[in-house]
Amino acid sequence: MGFCLFSNAAIAAYYALEQSGVERVAILDWDVHHGNGTQDVVERDARIAYISLHQSPCYPGTGQASEQGFHNNVLNLPMAPGSTLADYQPMFEQKVMPFLTKFQPDLLIVSAGYDANAADPLANIALQPDDYGLFTKYCLQLTRRIVFGLEGGYELSALAQSVVATIKPCLAKES
């Protein structure tokens, strides 16, 4: 329905499943819009899990919490306009991480959109650039096999700061 014409994360997931040692792939979508195309492509495949945190109501108007995929492999977490880290952090701790831990992906693909920044003009979520670093730290607790795909982000300064905050934990030495 407009933003992602080719469902890049879904294509990457299917490509990864053709590689040796990859039997399960999870896609975490933290872009402000629900990835309706990605969900549609992967929700019938038990080897792929899809998690989306997205503003609701917001275009495209999809991604209801009741949608669970054909194999309980979809987790939609609609977020209210104005949501901040105080709203996102419990979602990561109580919903996203348990869902991913249970699924046990061999690879995590992040649809890393940054239009949920407070400075971004496209929507009304109020995340700060450093919040993405925390999201990355959660992901790294699960696996270091992560692919980040740049998605939305339309305020260039906030976009740049958020990308740096995302990458920084990945460069830290493992303890």
Side-chain angles (χ1 to χ4, degrees), residues 56-118:
S56 180
C58 190
Y59 185 85
T62 57
Q64 302 303 311
S66 59
E67 299 170 20
Q68 298 179 345
F70 288 79
H71 306 280
N72 289 320
N73 58 329
V74 170
L75 176 64
N76 282 314
L77 300 168
M79 305 298 292
S83 292
T84 66
L85 180 62
D87 303 297
Y88 272 71
Q89 191 166 4
M91 290 294 135
F92 267 86
E93 292 174 359
Q94 298 166 17
K95 304 280 186 175
V96 173
M97 293 305 292
F99 185 84
L100 288 172
T101 298
K102 182 178 178 186
F103 185 71
Q104 296 186 324
D106 299 309
L107 175 69
L108 176 61
I109 297 172
V110 179
S111 290
Y114 298 99
D115 46 6
N117 269 298

Side-chain angles (χ1 to χ4, degrees), residues 42-61:
V42 305
E43 69 183 345
R44 289 172 182 82
D45 193 326
R47 303 172 300 164
I48 304 174
Y50 177 70
I51 305 100
S52 177
L53 297 103
H54 53 274
Q55 181 179 318
S56 180
C58 190
Y59 185 85

Side-chain angles (χ1 to χ4, degrees), residues 139-150:
C139 294
L140 290 167
Q141 290 174 14
L142 182 71
T143 182
R144 292 196 69 84
R145 296 178 75 184
I146 304 173
V147 174
F148 294 94
L150 183 59

